[in-house]
Amino acid sequence: MMKSAVTTVLILASLASAANALQCYTCSSLISSSGCGENDFDPNTASKTTCANNEVCAKAVVGDVVSRACSPIGEGLTDNKCFPVEEASTNICYCSTDLCNSALSKNLGLVLAFIAFMTAKYL
């Protein structure tokens, strides 16, 4: 009984986190010492914003310049994909989970689901 109660609570917490509006990092490495670049991204100094319902997170890398922000949804943009343009030294990535446009991939929902699974298996 305790095992199923813990599992249920963790799964509900996972679903609740997915129901909130999407949050993305917003910053640009054009600002000196912004902590927004590919190698110096700092989630503690980057601004966070809540996107509109029809937006996903995006990270664009053009040469040495990195920009992170919300972006309108277009065809195929919610599938966590990147679109490289080699001749322009450009890479644009779109994702649809909270703060996914960081240098590190984070997904609280998957972490909670994994914890729920492991708890159910070993309790």
Side-chain angles (χ1 to χ4, degrees):
M1 180 67 174
M2 178 68 166
K3 181 165 121 177
S4 63
V6 170
T7 302
T8 302
V9 167
L10 288 172
I11 289 173
L12 288 175
S14 172
L15 293 175
S17 71
N20 295 335
L22 180 66
Q23 288 207 326
C24 300
Y25 288 109
T26 55
C27 63
S28 173
S29 66
L30 283 175
I31 301 168
S32 62
S33 68
S34 66
C36 190
E38 277 292 275
N39 299 320
D40 70 343
F41 180 71
D42 184 359
N44 297 318
T45 60
S47 297
K48 297 171 189 158
T49 190
T50 301
C51 298
N53 287 337
N54 61 342
E55 293 182 321
V56 294
C57 296
K59 179 177 91 172
V61 180
V62 181
D64 293 335
V65 177
V66 178
S67 180
R68 302 165 204 272
C70 296
S71 176
I73 292 176
E75 187 175 332
L77 298 186
T78 60
D79 296 328
N80 300 321
K81 291 184 180 177
C82 291
F83 300 92
V85 182
E86 291 180 26
E87 55 274 359
S89 298
T90 300
N91 193 33
I92 302 173
C93 297
Y94 300 94
C95 54
S96 56
T97 57
D98 279 339
L99 306 175
C100 59
N101 61 339
S102 69
L104 304 173
S105 177
K106 298 178 183 176
N107 188 337
L108 181 60
L110 287 177
V111 171
L112 288 175
F114 176 75
I115 291 170
F117 171 76
M118 296 306 286
T119 301
K121 185 173 180 173
Y122 293 107
L123 277 184

